[in-house]
Amino acid sequence: MKITILTTALVILSLGLFAQVSINSDSADPDGSVILDVKSTDKGLLPPRMTKAQRDGILYPAVGLLVFQTDETPGYYYYAGPHWIGITGSGTGAISASALIDCDGNAYPTINIGNQVWMAENLKVTHYRNGNNIPNETADTTWSNLTTGAYCWYNNNQSAYEKHGPLYNWHAVADSRGLCPDGWHVPTHAEWTTLTTYLGGPNVAGGKMKATSDLWHSPNTAANNSSSFSGLACGRRNYDGSFNYIVHNEYWWSSTESSSSSGSAWLRSLGYDSGDVGVYHNDKHYGFSVRCLRD
């Protein structure tokens, strides 16, 4: 059975027979390989639009289900069971479908920027690459005395800050068991410089790297996220275990120690009131976000 629709609207309540449906076709014969054949030279096909929270709230999504996500990292996503995957893009600034899944099962979109491929979200893993546990350290005094790897959630509140990703001390970054998924690594000081140089230099790159999100405090100066790096203001954990700067600043570790102090390492930062990228080193006891770079 074949059905050809020449009108601009179609509602099917029930169809008991196998059918091929053609919409806006000048032919009574839809392509033989399809169940639905939509033809147009001036209009597109619009799938359901929803936020990430609404997408994640779909009960028992069918494998292959397609939606358009309107926030966080906007774009088309399909359900691949058990993860939602972003549709592949290419070229600088294009979000790519994620075959990047860490050892905890978290899936990440990736982004092409120049000759580099970055995670388009902060790392969320709670185990090293070999499966060993990374301690979740909540006690201030213990955190401040650590010489081994650990992570925490901002204010030790995972439910409130899960979308930001955890904060890691530098000892977790440097651990030989590997923090990033296989084939990826925490970027060096030089590799961060390659990124910001490609985006026009540290004086302007920050605006291109910041998400246009209400997770940033107003005015979120110069933010346009033209690189699709989608940086969020995740705050930090200080060397004494206290937390600050949520919604105001973002910090990412590099894997490079500072030559001026064996107790510090290089990082990058973004601020709500500036379009630049901060470049400095800080004590290894601090807790900062991590982005991974493809090998």
Side-chain angles (χ1 to χ4, degrees), residues 219-259:
N220 199 11
T221 301
N224 58 44
N225 201 30
S226 61
S227 71
S228 296
F229 197 80
S230 301
L232 299 175
C234 301
R236 71 186 190 188
R237 190 172 194 179
N238 299 308
Y239 66 91
D240 62 358
S242 62
F243 297 88
N244 58 8
Y245 296 123
I246 191 70
V247 308
H248 288 86
N249 293 89
E250 170 70 293
Y251 305 87
W252 292 287
W253 281 120
S254 83
S255 61
T256 306
E257 292 180 277
S258 167
S259 59

Side-chain angles (χ1 to χ4, degrees), residues 134-140 142-143 146 150-153 156 237 243:
I134 306 171
N136 179 6
E137 187 50 65
T138 59
D140 293 350
T142 305
W143 179 272
L146 284 170
Y151 79 95
C152 62
W153 298 93
N156 295 315
R237 190 172 194 179
F243 297 88

